[in-house]
Amino acid sequence: MWRRATPLSPLISSFKSSFCIQQTEHRIFERFTTGLPLQEKDGISPKYGAPFITFVLGGPGCGKGTQCAKIVETFGFKHLSAGDLLRREIESDSDYGSMILNSIKEGRIVPSEVTVKLIQREMESSDNKKFLIDGFPRCEENRRAFENIIGAEPDLVLFFDCPEDEMVKRVLNRNEGRIDDNIDTVKKRLKVFQALSLPVINYYAKKGKLHTINAIGSVDEIFEQVHPLFAVCKRAGRRETT
Ligand code: C5P
Ligand code: MG
């Protein structure tokens, strides 16, 4: 019943990719022409200005983490996985540990303030100001809490669009020892994704910030779709430095 045969992209308000790229380039160019000097290493590097924030969204097993690793390697971003931060919090014996563990076991979303504070701590302690925030925002409450607490909006939003049967297959085969990678919890996570995360994805589509990536294919094939989005940032950064 939870199985989805077709990709989600038709459900998302459609924006032509080239339009999005043009818009993104324009915004980035505007931002980077008003800041202090750029230090260009791997592309954009707003070290002295506002952080550059990318949200990475998609259902469980859509390949967010794998693609984030490629983006980090190629473009030098700091990767913050909301799920990993929450799992680390459980291990650190924090007051919230058992609440977080129970939420993860049930595939529920942890109260936004807890997750945003963990993200905030990482952002504030990082020298790198280019952030890839993965698995966040998972719901409208997450999104609003981030805007209120961090006081910023994302510059880019990536959505890895993958059919449900493929996501289930990947999660059940990945063998990472995660407590929530079992069929019952995966079904719950997919329901949460449909009900709470898709509205956030639609929100960013309407704002013209969303870039939908077809998450079927090899890691390199998928990265071929991702690469140009960041290469645009790189060009915008270069233009300013010349
Ligand atoms: O993104 P990931 O699959 O690692 O998330 C695992 C779990 O962590 C989610 O199913 C949810 O219980 C919790 N989580 C959350 N809020 C987020 C991200 C993850 O509550 N923004
Ligand atoms: Mg992950």
Side-chain angles (χ1 to χ4, degrees):
M1 223 196 306
W2 40 271
R3 203 170 137 141
R4 180 171 54 83
T6 50
L8 290 168
S9 33
L11 301 176
I12 309 294
S13 312
S14 66
F15 281 82
K16 287 238 178 338
S17 192
S18 61
F19 172 77
C20 286
I21 289 176
Q22 272 173 17
Q23 292 285 306
T24 307
E25 184 163 13
H26 180 65
R27 264 198 314 275
I28 293 163
F29 183 61
E30 268 184 351
R31 280 191 45 183
F32 288 83
T33 51
T34 53
L36 287 161
L38 281 177
Q39 183 193 44
E40 203 202 2
K41 184 172 161 269
D42 295 302
I44 51 172
S45 182
K47 204 169 172 98
Y48 306 111
F52 186 92
I53 297 169
T54 302
F55 285 158
V56 182
L57 306 177
C62 71
K64 301 185 291 292
T66 306
Q67 291 297 318
C68 282
K70 302 267 300 174
I71 298 166
V72 166
E73 188 188 307
T74 313
F75 296 104
F77 274 69
K78 169 84 177 167
H79 177 208
L80 301 178
S81 155
D84 286 351
L85 294 178
L86 291 166
R87 283 183 284 271
R88 211 196 294 163
E89 193 65 6
I90 296 171
E91 282 161 22
S92 77
D93 239 5
S94 97
D95 292 347
Y96 298 121
S98 61
M99 179 275 288
I100 296 172
L101 178 62
N102 287 332
S103 299
I104 289 181
K105 270 187 191 161
E106 292 302 315
R108 285 194 310 262
I109 296 178
V110 171
S112 299
E113 192 168 331
V114 172
T115 313
V116 174
K117 293 279 183 194
L118 295 176
I119 293 172
Q120 184 181 35
R121 195 165 70 192
E122 295 296 312
M123 289 177 80
E124 284 178 357
S125 64
S126 174
D127 282 342
N128 190 339
K129 298 299 175 203
K130 299 183 294 184
F131 297 103
L132 273 183
I133 305 183
D134 156 7
F136 183 95
R138 275 288 220 281
C139 59
E140 282 291 299
E141 194 212 24
N142 267 187
R143 179 183 70 72
R144 279 196 289 266
F146 186 89
E147 286 175 15
N148 291 337
I149 296 172
I150 309 289
E153 288 194 22
D155 297 278
L156 271 184
V157 182
L158 306 187
F159 166 45
F160 289 92
D161 188 11
C162 192
E164 282 193 0
D165 52 357
E166 176 66 20
M167 291 197 279
V168 172
K169 205 164 68 190
R170 290 182 191 175
V171 167
L172 297 182
N173 286 335
R174 68 185 173 187
N175 247 332
E176 288 174 1
R178 277 176 52 169
I179 197 159
D180 54 346
D181 282 353
N182 60 74
I183 188 67
D184 290 339
T185 313
V186 172
K187 286 182 188 178
K188 291 177 186 164
R189 289 157 70 191
L190 287 169
K191 276 190 182 151
V192 168
F193 176 72
Q194 289 276 351
L196 301 179
S197 307
L198 278 181
V200 180
I201 290 165
N202 269 317
Y203 171 87
Y204 289 120
K206 287 192 190 112
K207 290 199 107 184
K209 292 192 175 190
L210 191 77
H211 296 268
T212 299
I213 309 292
N214 174 6
I216 293 287
S218 70
V219 171
D220 287 340
E221 280 165 356
I222 296 167
F223 191 61
E224 271 175 34
Q225 300 170 66
V226 171
H227 188 280
L229 302 173
F230 293 94
V232 159
C233 307
K234 198 166 175 168
R235 284 203 303 277
R238 262 204 205 112
R239 208 191 290 172
E240 197 222 348
T241 56
T242 54

